């Protein structure tokens, strides 16, 4: 064989070896054989496998495994396998579940001060919300869990929520009258819907598709990725981009589990939760666009709320500030001030 021919054969063998190597195992980082873990912990997530928050959970589990040399293994259970959010929060309280990522709406039923951060029309956009959550106000909320038996680890993004309907588009406040709108299991959200003239129907996330399909409800509200990932757009194609609220989410650990971990592992858990949160936020921004495009292509009809109607929506829900958060007027003012400074 000529010299060039040998070179070709060696080149081919080298490339094949690399390819075989990379195809034979799992992803990098999952390769290391650490031996038996000291802690095997459960993580509850109610979204689908490919959803940004679930991917954030896997990133978190992977980082914790690496940084504890395999001493902590976190088993992520996606798709609501460990129950709906309310049940999962209850399980966290007695250590039946170790970790979870939950929406602030149901969580505020357990830690009422959190209602502040999900008041309707509180933020003027994503940047404003992140500015608040990542600053002293956000830290203060993280440390406000008192005797809830829950420990907050990091904020996750969940965008803005808007209404969607199966019957007719919502283009004015009057269009809300008489509708049955599904809400999260949250007093504040129920009252908000009532203030808008509709009938709130509290229901677990996993039950919404069939409730829309059977007509038990004729509308719901959520962010783009949830609307798309749950395929609600198939049964409720009128989407009104009103962005009435931003409901951030939290990664939590059960206090009972937290107390069992040595301090050095607690530090690792906090750091990894934060690192996974940054990852989730990046995925979130990408997914929001992809989801919006996908549902529009699928025939979903998107309406913007005219500004005079938006003003009516805001006025109708304004009493929620006083009713739910009268004790925290100073915090609300600080949040609003931060928003004005950003404009
Ligand atoms: C969002 C959130 C979920 C929540 C859902 C809901 O999708 O990420 O955690 O369950 O809203 O409307 O219930």
């Amino acid at each position: 064989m000529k010299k060039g021919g040998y070179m070709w054969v060696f080149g081919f063998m080298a490339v094949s070896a690399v390819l075989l190597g990379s195809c034979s195992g799992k992803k990098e980082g999952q390769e290391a054989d650490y031996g038996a873990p000291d802690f095997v912990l459960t993580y509850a997530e109610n979204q689908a496998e490919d959803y940004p928050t679930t991917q954030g959970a896997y990133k978190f589990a992977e980082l914790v495994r690496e940084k504890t040399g395999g001493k902590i293994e976190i088993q992520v259970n996606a798709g609501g396998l460990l129950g709906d959010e309310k049940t999962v929060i209850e399980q966290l309280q007695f250590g039946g579940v170790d970790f979870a990522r939950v929406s602030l709406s149901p969580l505020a039923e357990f830690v009422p001060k959190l209602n502040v951060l999900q008041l309707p029309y509180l933020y003027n956009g994503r940047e404003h919300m992140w500015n608040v959550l990542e600053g002293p106000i956000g830290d203060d909320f993280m440390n406000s869990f008192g005797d809830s038996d829950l420990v907050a680890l990091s904020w996750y993004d969940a965008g803005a929520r808007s209404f969607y309907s199966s019957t007719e588009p919502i283009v004015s406040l009057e269009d809300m009258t008489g509708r049955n709108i599904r809400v999260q299991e949250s007093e504040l959200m129920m009252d908000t819907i009532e203030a808008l003239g509709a009938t709130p129907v509290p229901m677990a996330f996993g039950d919404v598709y069939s409730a829309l399909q059977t007509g038990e409800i004729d509308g719901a509200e959520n962010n783009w990725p949830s609307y798309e990932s749950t395929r609600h757009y198939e049964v409720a194609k009128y989407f009104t981009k009103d962005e009435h609220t931003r409901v951030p989410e939290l990664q939590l650990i059960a206090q009972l589990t937290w107390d069992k971990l040595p301090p050095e592992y607690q530090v690792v858990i906090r750091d990894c939760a934060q690192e996974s949160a940054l990852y989730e936020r990046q995925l979130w921004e990408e997914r929001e666009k992809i989801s919006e495009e996908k549902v529009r292509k699928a025939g979903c009809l998107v309406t913007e709320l005219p500004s005079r109607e938006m003003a009516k929506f805001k006025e109708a829900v304004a009493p929620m500030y006083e009713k739910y958060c009268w004790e925290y007027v100073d915090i609300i003012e600080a949040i609003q001030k931060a928003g004005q400074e950003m404009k």
Side-chain angles (χ1 to χ4, degrees):
M1 200 185 284
K2 281 195 209 136
K3 202 174 163 208
Y6 283 118
M7 300 266 292
W8 190 89
V9 170
F10 281 128
F12 175 77
M13 281 164 64
V15 170
S16 309
V18 168
L19 284 179
L20 273 175
S22 66
C23 295
S24 58
K26 288 187 192 162
K27 266 196 279 167
E28 215 186 311
Q30 294 177 333
E31 291 281 349
D33 182 10
Y34 293 115
D38 290 345
F39 298 91
V40 177
L41 305 174
T42 48
Y43 187 117
E45 167 56 69
N46 75 347
Q47 301 284 6
E49 291 287 346
D50 69 341
Y51 201 84
T53 55
T54 313
Q55 289 300 308
Y58 282 120
K59 170 63 91 187
F60 172 59
E62 186 185 314
L63 289 168
V64 170
R65 185 163 186 260
E66 265 169 42
K67 295 198 174 154
T68 59
K71 293 296 176 211
I72 300 188
E73 184 184 321
I74 299 173
Q75 297 178 341
V76 178
N77 296 269
L81 212 65
L82 299 182
D84 60 38
E85 285 189 305
K86 190 166 167 252
T87 315
V88 161
I89 298 168
E90 285 162 0
Q91 292 194 64
L92 278 169
Q93 289 183 310
F94 64 83
V97 167
D98 299 300
F99 294 95
R101 186 285 312 160
V102 296
S103 165
L104 234 58
S105 274
L107 187 58
E109 296 299 299
F110 298 81
V111 185
K113 187 178 171 185
L114 292 173
N115 273 322
V116 170
L117 296 177
Q118 56 152 352
L119 281 168
Y121 303 108
L122 179 66
Y123 310 104
N124 58 31
R126 178 198 306 277
E127 297 310 318
H128 181 197
M129 184 185 82
W130 280 109
N131 184 288
V132 169
L133 297 181
E134 290 198 314
I137 298 180
D139 291 347
D140 183 51
F141 275 96
M142 285 257 222
N143 298 324
S144 303
F145 276 63
D147 56 6
S148 66
D149 292 327
L150 306 165
V151 178
L153 295 174
S154 70
W155 301 104
Y156 267 29
D157 203 353
R161 295 176 78 100
S162 289
F163 289 109
Y164 45 90
S165 149
S166 58
T167 47
E168 283 164 18
I170 297 166
V171 287
S172 70
L173 182 59
E174 269 157 41
D175 290 337
M176 295 292 284
T177 312
R179 280 177 196 262
N180 291 327
I181 308 267
R182 177 269 172 172
V183 283
Q184 290 175 276
E185 291 166 289
S186 142
E187 289 284 329
L188 167 64
M189 282 311 293
M190 286 177 67
D191 265 3
T192 301
I193 297 301
E194 219 158 64
L196 293 170
T199 306
V201 183
M203 181 182 289
F205 187 45
D207 298 332
V208 182
Y209 186 96
S210 62
L212 282 166
Q213 205 173 30
T214 58
E216 181 187 348
I217 52 172
D218 44 33
E221 45 88 57
N222 221 315
N223 51 52
W224 287 115
S226 295
Y227 179 55
E228 175 260 311
S229 147
T230 52
R231 310 210 320 253
H232 289 175
Y233 65 93
E234 291 177 356
V235 279
K237 67 173 179 179
Y238 303 104
F239 191 97
T240 303
K241 211 173 162 183
D242 64 283
E243 304 198 339
H244 52 272
T245 182
R246 280 182 185 269
V247 182
E249 315 199 320
L250 274 169
Q251 269 190 315
L252 301 169
I253 181 170
Q255 180 78 57
L256 281 169
T257 309
W258 184 248
D259 293 342
K260 274 186 226 155
L261 296 174
E264 62 275 21
Y265 285 170
Q266 293 181 342
V267 174
V268 170
I269 298 268
R270 276 208 187 279
D271 290 351
C272 296
Q274 184 53 25
E275 200 175 328
S276 79
L278 297 178
Y279 178 68
E280 188 268 349
R281 266 163 73 182
Q282 196 187 327
L283 294 183
W284 183 266
E285 283 197 40
E286 291 160 15
R287 179 65 179 257
E288 257 186 347
K289 292 189 199 98
I290 295 171
S291 295
E292 179 173 352
E293 250 172 56
K294 186 170 168 187
V295 298
R296 281 182 189 267
K297 269 200 196 126
C300 150
L301 299 169
V302 182
T303 321
E304 302 268 343
L305 209 54
S307 54
R308 61 164 199 288
E309 290 303 321
M310 178 79 94
K312 288 191 203 164
F313 271 62
K314 284 189 184 169
E315 200 189 326
V317 301
M320 301 306 125
Y321 281 58
E322 171 70 16
K323 181 165 181 193
Y324 285 88
C325 302
W326 57 271
E327 285 173 88
Y328 309 112
V329 176
D330 48 339
I331 307 179
I332 296 172
E333 280 172 4
I335 294 175
Q336 288 168 331
K337 189 160 165 263
Q340 277 151 13
E341 283 165 4
M342 288 181 70
K343 274 187 187 166

